[in-house]
Amino acid sequence: MHDGSGRIVVQGLSKQFGPIIAVNNLSFTVEPGSVTGFLGPNGAGKTTTLRMLLGLVRPTAGGSTINGLPFEQLGNPGRVVGAVLEAQGFHPTRTARNHLRVYATAMGVPDERADQVLALVGLSEAGHRAAGSFSLGMKQRLALATALLGDPQVLVLDEPANGLDPEGIAWLRAFLQSFARTGRTVLISSHLLAEVEQTVDQVVIISRGQTVYYGGLDYLRQSQQSRVLVQAADPQALVTKLQEAGVNAVEPTPDGRLAITGVDRKTVADTAMAAGIALYDIQQENVDLEQLFFRLTQGQYAGQQPPPGYGPPPGGGWGPPPGPGYGPPSGGYAAPTYAPPQGYPGTPPQGTPPGYAPPGYAPQGTPPQGYAAPQPGYAPPQDYVPPPVDPQQYQQQYQPQAAPPPEQPPGGGWGGNA
Amino acid sequence: MGRLISAEFRKILTTKMWWALLIPTVALAALWSIGGNALVGAIVDQTDQSEIAGAVKANVSNLPWSTLIFARTVNISALFPIVFGALAVSSEINRRTITTSYLTAPNRGTLLGAKLITYAIWGLAFGVVITGVDSIGMAIASHPEQLPDAVSWLEIAGTGILSCMLWTLLAMGIGALFGSPIAAIISLLLYTLLVENLIGLVLPDNWPGILINGSADGLTGSVAAQLIVDKVSTISPYFNQEAQDAASNIARTLAGARGAFDWWISGLIFAAWTAAFVVGGWFMSKQRDIT
């Protein structure tokens, strides 16, 4: 029998479809009691990985376990794992209630459970309707109801927010968090970090079938840094003054301004004021999670070479997290250095690599795209502890040398938008 | 396993496919059995008055001709249980419900085992309906003296039901093998109705009897042919072994089973074909990635 731990372990998982390597030596662990986001751009191998985990796709190499056992050894898997893989999988003329009753029978739960889960996902009224007449959002709800039939310990969801209205997304978030708070496990995939940012505690980020980040979302948040861009009358004097004040992360930008990292706008202005240096322009820019996610995964279609115009920073002094070793654990990642493209905000993009656009870039305080109304009563996890399993390999690489305080408390993304 | 079989029954009973196929099954069986028996009755009446019948001193109209039509009716009506079986696995793949079915079953083998049992039962049910309608049609349209006796009727009905069940399972195997309802149904119908008849034409002697359709037809057709041949020896004193074999071959051809072996050999051959396709479908289902 399975060990009842609720732990998902993916070990060296690989899948090749003909000449295409969909998943390449993927390893991560999902711990119970938390919501883990499984992130990556379209085509990164998320769905294939989840389907391998659930025994639907045979891995080329490696394996995975749920509760210590491969899926096909779970006995009655519907009582251990619930999965929302797609908003299809319904016979178009079978009613929602009959659909649920079929699978309730298969996993040996009473028929009343079908009505319970219908009520749970808000489909009680539509239970007698054929699933083929459902909207995409209703199908997603029915898929979730199916996943919950066996009252499973582990929930695996593949892009469950697709087709859900904002109200549905907010409901799903609250539901998943309360589900995880009862000590159960949630693994949820998405191609949008913003979509799950408020829901997840941990993230596994993959790109081109490989893990590029695995660890707590807090560590990613901490590596969010802002920098101040100033146009000074005497840049050299300002650099000297800043260095005297202990601010060393200063570098010139290609357009003649200074980029100062690790301080806020006020400190820079005060320093300039005290030194009597005129400032013609001063602005603060923030690197948000979405951008970081984008950088982590942007190698997806860029091939092995860094795209033109996207190179190491001129001075090398700017950029959290610093140092070599930033990046994915294996080779083949296109952009190993954390560097903005030249002409980063303020100037027209020059030589922007194909596909590079800062869709997730947003000024501080602006909710990310896809953000939905917060759920009343939501409380961010208070004492999130990173899992004991060996994520240090990645996490250490991400910790800034002098870790700045996070811009927001974990889960604080809710706060500014209430 | 019991849970999964119940779930399979629910899957079938919560959609319309089963009765959407059962209605044309009944119609086709009734049409063939009534029309066929009426036709045979008319032909036999003609033959009976001819000089040949008088020359061999045989009373042709006293033979159980209706059994030939019975066998042909079963063989043609099996079309619908074939479609039903072909959809068992392939339709789930096509509609993507197979994902949830696999996720709620201990493993793929157990699910396929449950389907096999479920569809065997449904195949039997289709067989009972077909042979039932066939028997009624026969009783209505056949001359009373051309009807089989009770034991013969049981024999031929039993092989008819067995044939329908095996057809359902064979089609299920092909559906699982191909994974596509259209591919499975088209290839099954094309093969049984056309391709094998063409192959059978060029094959000598008993060779058509080892083919899929040939062995299935032989299962029912040989029983029917044998009933007639057995009767022939009782009505004509001139009937030696050689003549019996010749008559048997003619009767089997009339029953739509040219070159077929005896019914039990045909049954074993057809069961082997069924097993081969079920194993093939099972193997493919084990391998298939559900993406």
Side-chain angles (χ1 to χ4, degrees), chain A residues 124-206:
Chain A
S124 290
E125 304 286 303
H128 64 281
R129 277 173 54 190
S133 70
F134 278 15
S135 70
L136 182 59
M138 290 169 84
K139 284 179 178 168
Q140 281 287 15
R141 286 166 187 259
L142 182 55
L144 184 64
T146 313
L148 295 171
L149 259 183
D151 194 23
Q153 190 181 5
V154 178
L155 260 188
V156 175
L157 307 102
D158 193 12
E159 309 256 354
N162 279 354
L164 285 185
D165 50 22
E167 191 194 359
I169 292 174
W171 174 85
L172 182 67
R173 281 179 184 160
F175 175 81
L176 294 179
Q177 279 159 347
S178 67
F179 188 89
R181 268 203 299 275
T182 60
R184 292 186 274 190
T185 313
V186 179
L187 178 61
I188 174 174
S189 86
S190 178
H191 59 275
L192 285 173
L193 178 59
E195 192 177 78
V196 296
E197 191 182 337
Q198 288 85 20
T199 318
V200 303
D201 315 310
Q202 279 211 85
V203 284
V204 177
I205 300 178
I206 68 168

Side-chain angles (χ1 to χ4, degrees), chain A residues 15 51 56 88 94 111, chain B residues 10-11 14 96 289-290:
Chain A
K15 178 66 184 183
R51 285 182 173 267
L56 295 168
Q88 299 161 4
R94 193 178 285 140
D111 281 356
Chain B
R10 280 195 162 180
K11 279 180 197 168
T14 52
R96 312 188 69 80
D289 284 338
I290 308 299

